Amino acid sequence: MTEIRKRVLLAKPRGYCAGVDRAVQTVEEALKLYEPPIYVRKQIVHNKHVVSTLEAKGAIFVEENEEVPEGAIVIFSAHGVAPEVYEQAKARSLKAIDATCPLVTKVHQEAKRFAADDYDILLIGHEGHEEVIGTAGEAPAHVQLVDGPEDADKVTVRDPSKVVWLSQTTLSVDETMETVARLKQRLPLLQSPPSDDICYATQNRQHVVKEIAPQCDVVIVVGSRNSSNSVRLVEVALDAGARGGHLVDYAHEIADEWLEGATTVGVTSGASVPDELVMQVLEHLAARGFADVAEVTTADERLTFSLPQELKREMKAAATARAQEAKALVADQLG
Ligand code: SF4
């Protein structure tokens, strides 16, 4: 009897995007530069493991600025904040470091610009998500939230010739296009964002999952439940033909029954997931007969973002001070 060949299709790109990498590095560098604790408003990125690792290094995660002692350092998360959050930080004399992803900042700028031109802005996104709260906060009087295609019928605008849609960066591309199509039935003059709001990382991770899902009995997505882009990857996998799709934070959460009768397992991870967690999933699968791993690559990502200016300035000042101290010490010893 021939043995059935079990295999894993490993998606690439997967895991960390440029914005997450920058946000995590921001906290790590701040912890090195200043004495812990360092306060972080909200989860720096939506991943359980990343948050607990940074907590162990001295980061304290809070929900609001009021929980941060006056005058302390606070880092704002990758998802962005509304302008009032900067005001609150200023009022408490907090030293704020802004780790908002530059691609989220881009959407904030669009919201501000269209609001200044007195447009109605239809913001497609998930109600209550931090990114949506931050973006809407740029122009609350102009923004209406559209949470999925069903919400399209509830929209009311002042002038149907002056309306634009913007979106959260981590949505399902297909569902967003469905929402836009529904909106356009009612508002034919609806304008699109000047450039894609759904970011490159979200799009790339969904694209590769669509490639592998039709060949997979089950797709395992590594990511946390509050990670929008990770949750979307499970939905995309199921829509694209995977028979099963599951989200796990850690390898040990994979239930043996998900693998029963499976020959091909797809593996990917959300944009806030360190690759070590994916490697642990591969080990877990290998121990259950899925040792043959083929990586399927659909894009090459090279984008990186530099650290926030306010942090870079302080790092440079600290490096200069250290160099001067070392020079003075040498001069002392020689003198
Ligand atoms: S998922 Fe996209 S928008 Fe969000 S942090 Fe990553 S690159 Fe930035």
Side-chain angles (χ1 to χ4, degrees), residues 24-277:
V24 174
Q25 268 191 54
T26 297
V27 180
E28 286 173 345
E29 291 298 334
L31 283 164
K32 277 189 234 159
L33 185 62
Y34 309 105
E35 287 294 300
I38 297 286
Y39 292 84
V40 184
R41 184 183 176 278
K42 309 281 183 193
Q43 292 193 349
I44 185 73
V45 297
H46 286 156
N47 184 265
K48 225 187 215 181
H49 181 77
V50 170
V51 168
S52 57
T53 304
L54 291 173
E55 267 173 345
K57 291 181 182 175
I60 295 180
F61 290 88
V62 296
E63 281 304 301
E64 294 303 338
N65 284 336
E66 296 90 77
E67 298 164 61
V68 182
E70 293 222 4
I73 293 162
V74 64
I75 298 176
F76 296 146
S77 80
H79 309 99
V81 294
E84 63 179 22
V85 176
Y86 296 104
E87 297 304 320
Q88 292 161 358
K90 213 163 152 193
R92 291 181 66 75
S93 309
L94 303 182
K95 190 180 168 79
I97 300 174
D98 187 1
T100 303
C101 175
L103 298 181
V104 173
T105 303
K106 183 198 77 131
V107 185
H108 281 227
Q109 301 301 351
E110 289 169 355
K112 277 200 274 193
R113 189 154 61 78
F114 282 107
D117 288 343
D118 203 26
Y119 272 70
D120 277 320
I121 300 168
L122 307 180
L123 179 61
I124 304 175
H126 296 301
E127 190 166 10
H129 190 279
E130 282 149 39
E131 184 187 321
V132 162
I133 294 169
T135 307
E138 292 288 357
H142 289 79
V143 172
Q144 282 175 70
L145 182 67
V146 183
D147 190 349
E150 295 74 34
D151 261 12
D153 302 333
K154 299 182 196 151
V155 163
T156 54
V157 299
R158 293 167 301 160
D159 176 355
S161 68
K162 235 179 155 185
V163 52
V164 63
W165 69 272
L166 302 178
S167 87
Q168 191 180 329
T169 56
T170 51
L171 300 181
S172 149
V173 176
D174 295 339
E175 190 186 275
T176 303
M177 287 307 121
E178 196 187 323
T179 307
V180 171
R182 289 268 286 265
L183 287 168
K184 280 195 171 161
Q185 282 169 7
R186 296 190 47 222
L187 301 162
L189 298 178
L190 177 67
Q191 289 184 38
S192 299
S195 61
D196 284 354
D197 285 346
I198 299 181
C199 76
Y200 79 100
T202 301
Q203 296 197 32
N204 286 345
R205 280 150 194 69
Q206 288 177 16
H207 183 224
V208 64
V209 163
K210 277 188 196 171
E211 286 291 309
I212 63 169
Q215 304 167 63
C216 295
D217 299 298
V218 59
V219 173
I220 309 281
V221 178
V222 187
S224 293
R225 304 233 151 254
N226 61 343
S227 161
S228 170
N229 80 88
S230 305
V231 174
R232 300 292 83 75
L233 288 174
V234 177
E235 294 168 1
V236 168
L238 293 170
D239 283 350
R243 281 201 267 134
H246 301 279
L247 186 66
V248 296
D249 267 299
Y250 297 103
H252 67 79
E253 294 168 16
I254 297 171
D256 282 343
E257 55 261 35
W258 299 347
L259 307 175
E260 264 169 32
T263 53
T264 303
V265 177
V267 174
T268 189
S269 56
S272 46
V273 179
D275 218 37
E276 61 185 280
L277 300 182

